[in-house]
């Protein structure tokens, strides 16, 4: 079994119980067949649960590698129906709602901007390999990401296809454009750019019940042993921790599909 590949026990059961996200297929970026039609929406052939945070650079890299893996899988099996579902994890759950200055955050986490630059140099080099032009210098504030996860949860209930575009937009807004993800108006603008109603997206942030669900999901992920992201789960059967290359993800997908067939 490859490094980072693990079978699931109660973690898979936890995610199968979650009702936060819809079961619609994701966009055609991975060349997936969308079989859903009016009155008939069968379960996807492959369900990918992604636990991540929008301020995690390795999560952005992991998203790219997942897209590559699914694109390759789509070439091999053009009729495969795939659903990708996003789950909340806060890297810094104790940050105040307004976040904190990036300089202060780097000093507390890495000992200062110089140390952070050395660490991020590797991240930037991997980013170049997968087509992500990280621009860490543009980030001026480290946000609390509860609002961002709440908007993602709302989006997945409205349109799972566009939710993927929203997640991509949030990663891009933070890591490339240096936008303030602790600002509800900015989150609404990103949602609008992804195809949602910006006004409705901003209104979602005042939903106490939705926010509570997101907080519960974050706690539940930690409760079952997830202490780092990205974390990928395939068909609730096999998990990969970390931003592994597409080959490892495809191996995990194959193992999950075999395990799923054995339980049908």
């Amino acid at each position: 079994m490859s490094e980072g590949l693990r079978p699931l026990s109660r973690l898979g059961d936890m995610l199968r119980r979650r009702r936060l996200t819809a079961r619609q297929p994701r966009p055609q970026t991975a060349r997936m067949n969308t079989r859903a039609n009016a009155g008939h929406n069968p379960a996807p052939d492959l369900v990918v649960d992604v636990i991540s945070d929008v301020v995690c650079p390795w999560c952005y890299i992991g998203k790219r590698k997942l897209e590559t893996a699914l694109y390759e899988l789509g070439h091999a099996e053009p009729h495969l129906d795939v659903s990708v579902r996003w789950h909340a994890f806060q890297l810094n759950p104790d940050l105040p709602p307004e976040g904190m200055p990036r300089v202060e955050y780097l000093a507390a986490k890495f000992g200062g901007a110089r140390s952070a630059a050395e660490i991020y140099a590797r991240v930037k080099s991997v980013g170049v390999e997968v087509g992500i032009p990280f621009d860490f210098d543009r980030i001026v504030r480290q946000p609390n990401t509860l609002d961002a996860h709440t908007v993602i949860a709302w989006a997945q209930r409205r349109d799972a296809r566009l939710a993927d575009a929203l997640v991509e937009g949030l990663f891009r807004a933070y890591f490339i454009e240096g936008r303030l993800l602790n600002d509800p108006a900015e989150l609404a603008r990103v949602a609008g750019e992804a195809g949602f109603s910006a006004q409705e997206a901003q209104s979602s942030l005042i939903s106490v019940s939705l926010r509570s669900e997101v907080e519960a999901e974050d706690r539940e992920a930690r409760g079952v042993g997830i202490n780092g992201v990205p974390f990928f789960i395939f068909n609730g059967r096999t998990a990969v921790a970390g931003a592994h290359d597409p080959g490892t993800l495809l191996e995990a997908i194959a193992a999950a599909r075999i395990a799923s067939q054995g339980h049908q």
Side-chain angles (χ1 to χ4, degrees):
M1 187 172 291
S2 298
E3 178 185 1
L5 192 65
R6 67 180 77 176
L8 294 179
S9 54
R10 65 194 183 101
L11 178 57
D13 294 333
M14 178 272 286
L15 284 173
R16 282 193 291 273
R17 290 198 309 270
R18 297 306 298 170
R19 293 180 296 175
L20 188 61
T21 57
R23 285 200 168 194
Q24 294 98 331
R26 51 167 282 153
Q28 283 294 110
T29 53
R31 295 182 60 131
M32 296 174 224
N33 178 45
T34 56
R35 297 182 303 180
N37 51 55
H40 180 62
N41 188 15
D45 302 310
L46 174 65
V47 176
V48 183
D49 289 287
V50 186
I51 301 170
S52 70
D53 197 357
V54 293
V55 295
C56 166
W58 290 108
C59 291
Y60 199 3
I61 291 170
K63 183 177 186 293
R64 281 289 180 275
K65 292 186 175 184
L66 174 66
E67 289 167 349
T68 298
L70 295 180
Y71 185 83
E72 293 178 8
L73 187 61
H75 268 290
E77 300 182 54
H79 298 294
L80 187 71
D81 186 10
V82 180
S83 174
V84 176
R85 311 187 296 196
W86 297 92
H87 300 269
F89 188 95
Q90 295 183 82
L91 286 179
N92 307 292
D94 297 326
L95 278 180
E98 68 275 12
M100 67 185 298
R102 176 75 168 176
V103 173
E104 294 180 13
Y105 173 79
L106 295 179
K109 188 174 181 68
F110 301 115
R114 179 174 297 181
S115 298
E118 294 175 358
I119 294 171
Y120 285 139
R122 177 169 176 258
V123 178
K124 292 184 73 170
S125 67
V126 177
V128 171
E129 294 174 4
V130 297
I132 302 173
F134 285 109
D135 193 348
F136 296 107
D137 292 338
R138 298 189 68 176
I139 302 173
V140 298
R141 196 163 190 84
Q142 188 71 25
N144 178 300
T145 55
L146 180 58
D147 279 353
H149 287 300
T150 300
V151 170
I152 292 170
W154 167 83
Q156 289 190 126
R157 288 181 168 183
R158 297 300 297 269
D159 189 329
R161 294 169 177 267
L162 293 182
D164 186 83
L166 171 61
V167 173
E168 176 69 25
L170 290 169
F171 277 128
R172 183 181 62 251
Y174 183 69
F175 285 114
I176 299 174
E177 300 167 353
R179 295 161 69 177
L180 301 176
L181 296 192
N182 59 293
D183 181 357
E186 193 68 72
L187 290 172
R189 280 190 285 272
V190 176
E193 293 162 4
F196 292 99
S197 162
Q199 182 177 0
E200 291 180 9
Q202 189 163 352
S203 296
S204 74
L205 295 175
I206 65 175
S207 170
V208 176
S209 61
L210 183 56
R211 180 179 294 262
S212 295
E213 283 191 47
V214 171
E215 290 176 317
E217 185 170 59
D218 187 359
R219 289 193 302 269
E220 195 168 14
R222 298 173 196 277
V224 297
I226 297 176
N227 52 26
V229 287
F231 196 96
F232 302 96
I233 301 168
F234 302 102
N235 275 0
R237 301 290 180 182
T238 305
V240 175
H244 288 273
D245 288 336
T248 298
L249 299 179
L250 287 169
E251 181 181 347
I253 289 170
R257 295 176 71 189
I258 291 173
S260 297
Q261 292 170 0
H263 287 78
Q264 287 180 350

